[in-house]
Amino acid sequence: MNVVVIGAQWGDEGKGKIVDYLASDARVCVRFSGGANAGHTIVLGGEQYALHLVPSGILYPDKTVILGSGMVIDPEALFSELAGLEARGVDWKGRVLVSERAHIVLPRYRRLDKEMEAARRKPIGTTGRGIGVAYAMKSSRDGIRLCDLDDPSRLENLEEEDREYVALWRDRILPMAVDLVPYLRARRNAYVLFEGAQGALLDIDTGSYPFVSSGMSCAAGAAAQGGVGPRDLDRILGVFKAYTTRVGNGPFPTEFDPSSQSSLETYIRETGREYGVTTGRPRRCGYLDLVALHYAVTANSIDRLVLTHLDVYDELPEFEACVAYRVRGKLVEDFPASVRDLEEAEPVLRKFRGWKSPIGACRAYDDLPREAKDYVAFIEEYAETPVSMVSVGSDRTATIVRESPWTRS
């Protein structure tokens, strides 16, 4: 059975925790997109693990994790991350594999990334790690894949500094190579978990272009870049927070107004620890955008939602969520393609009563306060999709499962 987990907002929704939780039942975990620009946080027994390239299932000693074909991999960043895990007692050797078709990020790409961002009249807000350049090289057919590191004729196409860099890592990374399609075909009866990076609204095709990531963060990427066909995806989970955040530049219709809502923004950011795992940048915060969530559900065939950070609202007497936009005076109920429309969109808000009590110890859905369940029920009705899991804290155990994703419909 193949289960896909993607972000249903602009990234940072808590995918890492959810993948880590679900990985207990999986045999293989495949990260299918992105690079070292991603940041997934896992809290286990009070200890925090920040992952960037390595799939979130790595903390289980009996799981195999795979960096998929759609990823762009900086070998230096990868082995630095693996060394950090090993120093904390995580034995990764023999359990971390890399698709032969994954592309390599070269140091030159990082320089180009920063130069291009500095030259933009309206910067995108990239992490400067060469990810966009690597994807651009891939699309122009000038990139280099993991399998090419064993092909002298392909290496001849590289500049001298690139060949010198590749030579430093070639013998370490090639033993980790795997031909992903036959590997997963041989495990077609196993539980396989596919992990996305960033979020659906940052997808290169369906996101808020041009303020998007360069890769496929949509659910379709699990099939295109994860080693299986689209008919083999059994369930698609979309992870979203009880509110909305965004890192970097780009439109954000429900962002809190700093002139009148700075205290609310500060409360959400500090309570929810809303700082980038990769960059450390404070995340922009705003109301839950149900218009954008419904769009993400539809565009990605999400059949179950996972709500995270619900506990952040514990102390608020009331809060709001966006149920429509007003764009230049017109009521809009669908997520616009136009950046201009999104930038000019004003949120139409609906109030909800808070519960004014801690929910972090709840482990069953019926244990939640009535007001929290009312909020969940409204989201389900609006998004036309069940919420099958609710996270009420950062630790792995602070998770309420209403329906296992490993249960076939």
Side-chain angles (χ1 to χ4, degrees):
M1 184 174 182
N2 297 321
V3 171
V4 181
V5 177
I6 65 166
Q9 295 168 313
W10 275 289
D12 310 307
E13 302 94 346
K15 296 182 297 297
K17 176 197 167 171
I18 300 305
V19 171
D20 168 73
Y21 184 89
L22 296 176
S24 63
D25 292 319
R27 180 175 175 185
V28 180
C29 299
V30 181
R31 163 98 175 266
F32 60 84
S33 66
N37 58 334
H40 294 169
T41 302
I42 298 169
V43 179
L44 179 59
E47 287 195 56
Q48 181 170 300
Y49 296 82
L51 303 174
H52 301 278
L53 283 163
V54 179
S56 299
I58 189 63
L59 298 185
Y60 291 91
D62 59 338
K63 311 301 178 186
T64 298
V65 302
I66 304 176
L67 285 69
S69 303
M71 290 189 68
V72 289
I73 298 164
D74 182 334
E76 183 178 2
L78 173 61
F79 284 104
S80 174
E81 187 172 329
L82 290 172
L85 287 169
E86 189 170 1
R88 299 182 67 178
V90 178
D91 183 8
W92 61 268
K93 292 182 175 65
R95 298 197 298 118
V96 178
L97 304 177
V98 184
S99 170
E100 293 180 328
R101 292 175 169 83
H103 278 247
I104 302 297
V105 177
L106 300 169
R108 178 167 52 90
Y109 297 177
R110 296 197 292 266
R111 294 198 304 272
L112 284 170
D113 194 353
K114 293 172 183 176
E115 291 169 4
M116 291 168 64
E117 180 74 349
R120 289 186 176 104
R121 294 180 63 183
K122 195 169 184 178
I124 293 172
T126 76
T127 61
R129 283 165 170 75
I131 307 305
V133 175
Y135 278 118
M137 292 291 189
K138 174 181 177 178
S139 295
S140 65
R141 289 146 308 187
D142 294 310
I144 183 166
R145 302 174 299 166
L146 177 58
C147 60
D148 298 331
L149 302 187
D150 204 26
D151 183 348
S153 65
R154 292 288 297 138
L155 295 177
E156 287 176 0
N157 295 327
L158 298 179
E159 297 182 11
E160 180 61 30
E161 69 166 304
D162 296 338
R163 289 197 294 271
E164 291 176 358
Y165 177 78
V166 164
L168 292 174
W169 303 103
R170 176 185 177 279
D171 292 340
R172 293 185 66 182
I173 196 169
L174 275 178
M176 301 162 67
V178 62
D179 190 348
L180 190 53
V181 172
Y183 182 91
L184 291 181
R185 184 176 62 227
R187 293 157 180 80
R188 61 170 63 92
N189 295 321
Y191 283 179
V192 179
L193 193 58
F194 293 87
E195 175 184 11
Q198 285 82 45
L201 301 180
L202 290 174
D203 181 74
I204 187 71
D205 291 307
T206 60
S208 52
Y209 188 90
F211 299 96
V212 294
S213 185
S214 302
M216 295 181 72
S217 50
C218 59
Q225 305 177 332
V228 298
R231 291 184 179 177
D232 291 324
L233 303 181
D234 297 291
R235 178 149 293 175
I236 298 171
L237 304 183
V239 184
F240 73 106
K241 283 188 282 206
Y243 47 93
T244 308
T245 64
R246 179 163 195 167
V247 171
N249 300 329
F252 187 178
T254 64
E255 186 170 15
F256 295 136
D257 183 347
S259 63
S260 60
Q261 298 169 310
S262 59
S263 59
L264 179 59
E265 180 180 42
T266 299
Y267 170 80
I268 294 294
R269 180 178 293 133
E270 297 305 320
T271 307
R273 300 171 298 282
E274 296 298 348
Y275 294 88
V277 178
T278 300
T279 63
R281 289 181 292 185
R283 296 174 184 142
R284 300 157 63 191
C285 300
Y287 304 106
L288 173 62
D289 189 336
L290 287 166
V291 179
L293 181 65
H294 194 202
Y295 166 75
V297 165
T298 306
N300 292 275
S301 296
I302 291 170
D303 49 21
R304 297 294 186 275
L305 287 166
V306 178
L307 172 59
T308 65
H309 290 244
L310 184 60
D311 55 303
V312 171
Y313 280 156
D314 281 355
E315 297 181 15
L316 297 182
E318 63 179 20
F319 55 90
E320 296 174 290
C322 171
V323 295
Y325 304 145
R326 288 200 183 276
V327 181
R328 297 185 290 279
K330 180 181 177 182
L331 187 69
V332 174
E333 296 181 316
D334 289 306
F335 190 75
S338 164
V339 169
R340 178 196 173 200
D341 288 349
L342 286 170
E343 288 175 339
E344 296 184 14
E346 299 175 0
V348 177
L349 301 174
R350 183 192 190 280
K351 275 191 169 67
F352 294 87
R353 291 180 58 188
W355 40 91
K356 294 288 288 180
S357 62
I359 61 173
C362 296
R363 294 296 178 268
Y365 188 71
D366 286 343
D367 294 339
L368 291 173
R370 178 176 56 81
E371 294 83 359
K373 290 187 285 189
D374 288 346
Y375 185 47
V376 174
F378 184 86
I379 293 169
E380 291 181 313
E381 181 180 4
Y382 190 103
E384 301 179 290
T385 309
V387 173
S388 63
M389 297 175 65
V390 179
S391 172
V392 293
S394 57
D395 196 83
R396 178 190 288 171
T397 59
T399 308
I400 297 170
V401 180
R402 302 175 73 190
E403 177 191 17
S404 170
W406 302 111
T407 303
R408 292 187 185 273
S409 300

